[in-house]
Amino acid sequence: MAIRLFIALISMLLPSMAAAISLPENATLVYEDTEAATSFEVPTGPWNIDRGMSTEDTAGNVARQVWRIDADRLTTLQLIAPLRQQLTEDGYTIGFECRTDSCGGFDFRFGLDLTPPPAMLVDLGDYRYLLAKKAGETVVLFVSKTLGAGYVEVIRIGRLNDEPVADSEAAPVVAAEQEPVADDMASAFMTTGHVELWDLTFETGSSELSGDTYQSLADLASYLESHPTVRIALVGHTDSQGSLNANIDVSKARARAVLERLAGTYGISRDRMDAQGMGYLAPRSSNLTQEGRDANRRVEAIALSN
């Protein structure tokens, strides 16, 4: 009787956890498991040949899910970026994130307790890891991909009874960010990891920037000049009109145009910048209204560690 009651309780809690992070419509849940009152070694830094893996022993209920996403053209950055954004917007603090070599490659991956294949498939040459925390809960994201699909493992340690996020139809329109000054941009990178380039304009149906100067690019260039070890990813976003592939191409082209403007006008090294496109996969508002679609068309800069 006690065992049945425990299983019923866990079953009630799991849907709340699943709703806390929204994945694309083409994501399929391939594995789900929960362990109550246990511990989990969470990597808090890269694997090092001298020190091994930096970890933190985190106790609580451990729930994990593995999702398969049909994403033959998406990069691991495109897979993890909207999930990262959801966490930061929900008040989580990013404690550590890395990609493949900066994580520690083979040794880091096998120092992390992941769900074994065939549920979770990992390309040892292309994966990303993210650790986030909020009010007694720890979230680990691990993303990799194969030739035909992306794989996302979500591990939660601690509370499982998060309130579900609102669905897209009920989501309020998010107002455009206030124009930050350069110091505010540095602060935003430190607290949320990303900044929207709020004043960019493009020719209709084009990836070409329509203006000669933009304060957001001047501020970003100033930030990069004063932080020479920081790299950035420029990520374009669109509304949901049109096909996913076409929107990814447009959003990436616009991010690339911003990269070229930063390089050509401000002399920022192209080696410090990457351009990617998310299409409509990471909306900041509802695509069911014109105001929401306008808010979703944007380019963001994400700060990356070397």
Side-chain angles (χ1 to χ4, degrees), residues 75-300:
T75 66
T76 53
L77 175 61
Q78 291 170 326
L79 290 169
I80 203 170
L83 308 182
R84 184 190 197 283
Q85 181 172 334
Q86 289 179 52
L87 288 171
T88 57
E89 290 179 350
D90 197 27
Y92 287 82
T93 299
I94 306 301
F96 171 61
E97 56 185 317
C98 59
R99 176 188 179 187
T100 320
D101 291 340
S102 65
C103 293
F106 176 95
D107 297 282
F108 181 91
R109 181 268 172 267
F110 285 101
L112 175 61
D113 180 12
L114 291 179
T115 300
M120 180 66 187
L121 299 181
V122 178
D123 180 350
L124 292 175
D126 187 11
Y127 66 78
R128 291 176 185 268
Y129 170 88
L130 183 147
L131 167 66
K133 294 185 177 184
K134 181 180 102 168
E137 183 180 21
T138 299
V139 175
V140 168
L141 297 180
F142 190 94
V143 172
S144 190
K145 63 173 298 185
T146 63
L147 289 177
Y151 287 84
V152 178
E153 179 147 0
V154 183
I155 303 172
R156 287 181 176 271
I157 307 99
R159 296 181 297 106
L160 301 181
N161 59 340
D162 292 342
E163 295 182 2
V165 297
D167 59 27
S168 60
E169 293 188 1
V173 173
V174 180
E177 295 181 1
Q178 296 295 317
E179 299 182 6
V181 297
D183 288 344
D184 291 336
M185 185 170 285
S187 176
F189 277 132
M190 287 299 296
T191 56
T192 68
H194 69 100
V195 171
E196 180 178 342
L197 305 175
W198 73 94
D199 56 348
L200 301 184
T201 56
F202 294 88
E203 298 291 349
T204 302
S206 170
S207 61
E208 297 299 319
L209 287 163
S210 57
D212 293 330
T213 61
Y214 298 97
Q215 186 61 49
S216 66
L217 297 189
D219 288 347
L220 180 56
S222 177
Y223 170 83
L224 290 171
E225 289 171 354
S226 60
H227 297 78
T229 63
V230 174
R231 296 176 55 251
I232 60 167
L234 297 162
V235 183
H237 302 266
T238 66
D239 59 31
S240 62
Q241 296 180 322
S243 70
L244 175 59
N245 288 344
N247 276 291
I248 287 176
D249 290 342
V250 169
S251 58
K252 185 172 183 178
R254 289 183 172 179
R256 187 71 196 179
V258 174
L259 184 153
E260 292 300 329
R261 179 68 65 90
L262 286 166
T265 302
Y266 298 98
I268 305 300
S269 171
R270 290 178 176 82
D271 292 339
R272 298 179 61 193
M273 298 182 287
D274 186 24
Q276 298 292 338
M278 292 299 302
Y280 54 65
L281 292 177
R284 68 198 302 264
S285 186
S286 171
N287 276 300
L288 301 179
T289 66
Q290 184 60 53
E291 293 84 358
R293 289 190 291 272
D294 291 342
N296 288 334
R297 295 192 293 269
R298 67 200 190 277
V299 176
E300 297 179 338

